[in-house]
Amino acid sequence: HPTYSPDAWKSRCLWNFDRVYASCLYSTKVETILIVEGFKAALWLIQNGYRNVTALMSSTVSELQYVMLSRLNCNLLLMLDNDEAGRQCSHNILSTFAGITPVCEVQYSEYHQPDDVPAKELHVKIIKARRSLNANRGHVSQ
C-alpha cells in the first residue's frame, strides 16, 4: 500500500491498552498504570506481576496517546528508558499531566531500561514510587 508506513500506527495506539483500559473501567478503586517505552519492558513487568502496564512503542507521546492516557482516570507511574530520549519523554508527560492526573517516575538510574532491573529490585523501586505518588497527592505530579 503506497501510504503505509510501519511506524505510522505507533502514534495511534498503546501496547496492551485494551487490557489496561478495561481494568481501570471496571475497577472499584483508582488503579495505578505503569508506562514504559517498549513491549519488551512491558512484558518484563507483566511477568513480574504488574498487570496494568502499557507501552508507548516509542520515546515520544502523540496527542492521541495523551488523550487515551488522560481518559484512564488512574495514577501513572513512568518507567521509561534511562537515555536522553526517555528522560525527555518523561519530562513531557510529567509536565503535560501536572495538575490533571497523579504521575510519578520510577527511579532506577543504575540500569538502562526496565527489563534490565532484577525482579527483587524492581518491586522495591515500584513500591517506593507508589509511596511517593501517594505522599504527593496534593501536588499531583513529582
Side-chain angles (χ1 to χ4, degrees), residues 3 5 10-11 20 30 36 46 72 76 98 105 107 109 129 140-141:
T3 60
S5 164
K10 288 182 182 182
S11 66
V20 169
V30 176
V36 296
I46 291 168
L72 290 176
L76 304 177
E105 287 183 274
Q107 301 295 321
S109 58
V140 179
S141 68

Side-chain angles (χ1 to χ4, degrees), residues 9-141:
W9 63 274
K10 288 182 182 182
S11 66
R12 293 190 298 245
C13 62
L14 294 162
W15 188 85
N16 199 41
F17 187 76
D18 56 327
R19 289 182 182 93
V20 169
Y21 184 78
S23 174
C24 290
L25 183 65
Y26 296 113
S27 179
T28 57
K29 63 183 177 87
V30 176
E31 295 288 331
T32 299
I33 307 304
L34 283 153
I35 300 172
V36 296
E37 283 186 39
F39 46 82
K40 181 181 170 196
L43 287 169
W44 175 243
L45 290 168
I46 291 168
Q47 182 180 5
N48 281 282
Y50 299 95
R51 62 185 171 88
N52 286 333
V53 181
T54 191
L56 303 172
M57 296 176 294
S58 172
S59 58
T60 60
V61 182
S62 71
E63 196 65 38
L64 180 59
Q65 289 171 325
Y66 276 122
V67 170
M68 292 167 70
L69 290 170
S70 68
R71 289 185 178 172
L72 290 176
N73 196 28
C74 293
N75 299 325
L76 304 177
L77 288 180
L78 306 177
M79 203 164 183
L80 305 181
D81 292 357
N82 270 328
D83 56 17
E84 186 58 35
R87 285 187 291 276
Q88 183 61 48
C89 186
S90 288
H91 173 76
N92 293 343
I93 293 171
L94 286 167
S95 60
T96 299
F97 284 110
I100 300 170
T101 299
V103 59
C104 183
E105 287 183 274
V106 176
Q107 301 295 321
Y108 65 103
S109 58
E110 60 276 16
Y111 301 100
H112 178 69
Q113 52 195 30
D115 46 300
D116 293 337
V117 181
K120 285 184 180 181
E121 286 185 52
L122 183 70
H123 300 306
V124 170
K125 291 177 185 308
I126 291 173
I127 289 168
K128 185 176 179 181
R130 280 186 173 162
R131 286 185 183 145
S132 178
L133 188 66
N134 291 331
N136 292 320
R137 275 222 197 270
H139 297 95
V140 179
S141 68

